Amino acid sequence: GQSLEQPSEVTAVEGAIVQINCTYQTSGFYGLSWYQQHDGGAPTFLSYNALDGLEETGRFSSFLSRSDSYGYLLLQELQMKDSASYFCAADTGRRALTFGSGTRLQVQP
Amino acid sequence: NAGVTQTPKFQVLKTGQSMTLQCAQDMNHEYMSWYRQDPGMGLRLIHYSVGAGITDQGEVPNGYNVSRSTTEDFPLRLLSAAPSQTSVYFCASSGVRTGSPYEQYFGPGTRLTVT
């Protein structure tokens, strides 16, 4: 089967750095994506890692270690608008994704 | 560009009724998918398509049918609605030629309640 594990909730203060971890077990793996979803909204794409290492996009970075079946999303200089749910998702080669259950991030002033 | 559009936005069905959720994209994407999201949960793949005329099952296909007669449209049919199908349904698309295949564009969702 396919499974992706991530923490259910994380709380941090404005301006801080937070890391959201994701471990995966999938049959077939091409890469790990991260999506953001605000309450009542649709998921929006943040990043994708096909290779080991760190990818940086502005305040957000994502890391992948294939040997450890592990990745994380790093959010820097947290802002109130970053309060949302964050999902890791595995690309298993079908051009459709297998999602984790999501991490709810609460940013406090 | 409208992106990915879904209709209706909200729907209430009685148990046993059937209906079709519509999804369309204007980005010429080859890949389209349907997901359902239950409260506090991640998205689960129902069906997906890698091109017109080609569909396949995802993790939770039972009770749903799809077809892909054109690149633009990917409707999802509920055959006989059950309360367990109460959920938010998202359609997504991605493409090789027109952008990253890994970046999926999601529609706004259809909130379905089955009583």
Side-chain angles (χ1 to χ4, degrees):
Chain A
Q2 327 264 35
S3 71
L4 291 92
E5 300 290 331
Q6 48 182 132
S8 58
E9 273 196 41
V10 172
T11 302
V13 296
E14 251 185 317
I17 299 172
V18 72
Q19 179 173 312
I20 299 173
N21 299 320
C22 174
T23 57
Y24 60 87
Q25 270 190 312
T26 61
S27 50
F29 179 83
Y30 287 76
L32 193 69
S33 299
W34 289 91
Y35 285 79
Q36 178 191 61
Q37 186 181 32
H38 287 99
D39 285 347
T44 56
F45 174 80
L46 291 177
S47 68
Y48 177 79
N49 294 70
L51 303 175
D52 284 2
L54 192 67
E55 294 277 346
E56 296 180 72
T57 310
R59 294 188 296 116
F60 294 179
S61 304
S62 57
F63 172 83
L64 177 66
S65 168
R66 285 173 166 265
S67 58
D68 295 322
S69 298
Y70 164 76
Y72 66 73
L73 179 70
L74 192 73
L75 297 84
Q76 302 181 73
E77 300 172 20
L78 280 174
Q79 302 175 7
M80 297 298 290
K81 67 179 181 179
D82 297 329
S83 292
S85 293
Y86 293 84
F87 296 89
C88 58
D91 174 5
T92 59
R94 299 181 296 183
R95 303 306 183 185
L97 300 172
T98 300
F99 281 81
S101 54
T103 298
R104 190 169 184 88
L105 171 64
Q106 289 199 336
V107 180
Q108 296 178 339
Chain B
N1 260 3
V4 180
T5 57
Q6 292 183 238
T7 56
K9 286 189 168 49
F10 301 92
Q11 182 70 49
V12 179
L13 290 178
K14 292 190 190 315
T15 297
Q17 287 184 317
S18 63
M19 79 160 295
T20 299
L21 307 187
Q22 301 291 345
C23 174
Q25 52 93 7
D26 62 0
M27 296 173 284
N28 202 28
H29 283 168
E30 306 92 291
Y31 312 118
M32 296 186 75
S33 314
W34 276 102
Y35 298 88
R36 60 175 287 176
Q37 185 175 33
D38 299 323
M41 305 270 294
L43 290 88
R44 290 184 291 169
L45 180 66
I46 306 172
H47 286 284
Y48 64 101
S49 169
V50 298
I54 307 169
T55 64
D56 207 345
Q57 296 182 350
E59 305 163 54
V60 289
N62 292 342
Y64 308 95
N65 270 355
V66 291
S67 60
R68 183 104 179 265
S69 55
T70 67
T71 300
E72 294 77 21
D73 300 299
F74 192 42
L76 178 74
R77 294 184 196 83
L78 277 72
L79 308 173
S80 176
S84 60
Q85 293 179 304
T86 294
S87 191
V88 181
Y89 291 84
F90 288 102
C91 178
S93 74
S94 63
V96 173
R97 290 190 295 276
T98 54
S100 166
Y102 317 112
E103 179 175 354
Q104 295 213 345
Y105 293 79
F106 283 82
T110 293
R111 283 149 183 81
L112 176 69
T113 302
V114 183
T115 62

